[in-house]
C-alpha cells in the first residue's frame, strides 16, 4: 500500500475519506453513521480488522497502587482478548 496522506486523529481521517480521494481505516462505531448515510462505504467487510498497539505510561514508583495495577490489568485483559 502506498501512503499518500497521514492523519493521526479520526476527524482528520474522516475529512480525507470524505474528499473521495483516499481510502483508510476508521473504527466501525465512528464511521457507521456515514456508512448508513451513504457517504462512506465499507470495503472488504469480511477483512476489516486493523490492529494497532496500545501503551500505557505510568510514573515509576516503589509504592504499590491498587488502582493503577487494576487499570493496567484491565487494559491488558481487554486488548489481549481474542477477537
Amino acid at each position: 500500500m502506498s501512503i499518500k496522506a497521514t492523519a493521526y486523529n479520526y476527524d482528520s481521517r474522516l475529512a480525507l475519506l470524505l474528499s473521495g480521494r483516499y481510502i483508510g481505516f476508521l473504527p466501525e462505531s465512528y464511521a457507521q453513521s456515514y456508512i448508513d448515510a451513504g457517504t462512506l462505504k465499507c470495503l472488504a467487510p469480511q477483512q476489516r480488522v486493523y490492529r494497532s498497539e496500545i501503551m500505557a505510561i505510568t510514573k515509576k514508583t516503589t509504592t504499590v497502587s491498587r488502582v493503577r495495577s487494576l487499570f493496567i490489568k484491565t487494559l491488558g485483559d481487554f486488548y489481549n482478548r481474542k477477537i
Side-chain angles (χ1 to χ4, degrees):
M1 188 177 338
S2 176
I3 298 175
K4 301 292 183 184
T6 303
Y8 294 102
N9 64 58
Y10 298 151
D11 292 330
S12 298
R13 288 182 197 175
L14 179 62
L16 290 168
L17 297 175
L18 290 175
S19 76
R21 302 193 66 192
Y22 300 92
I23 61 172
F25 298 98
L26 286 173
E28 185 176 353
S29 60
Y30 188 85
Q32 192 61 55
S33 63
Y34 297 94
I35 293 169
D36 293 344
T39 53
L40 286 181
K41 181 178 180 180
C42 182
L43 302 176
Q46 68 282 4
Q47 298 176 0
R48 63 180 180 184
V49 176
Y50 175 78
R51 299 200 185 278
S52 62
E53 290 185 36
I54 184 168
M55 297 178 191
I57 299 171
T58 64
K59 182 178 178 182
K60 186 175 182 176
T61 179
T62 57
T63 307
V64 175
S65 168
R66 288 178 50 190
V67 172
R68 182 180 62 229
S69 297
L70 179 59
F71 177 71
I72 298 298
K73 181 185 180 318
T74 302
L75 280 178
D77 291 349
F78 182 80
Y79 287 101
N80 289 322
R81 74 187 196 282
K82 300 290 184 209
I83 298 176

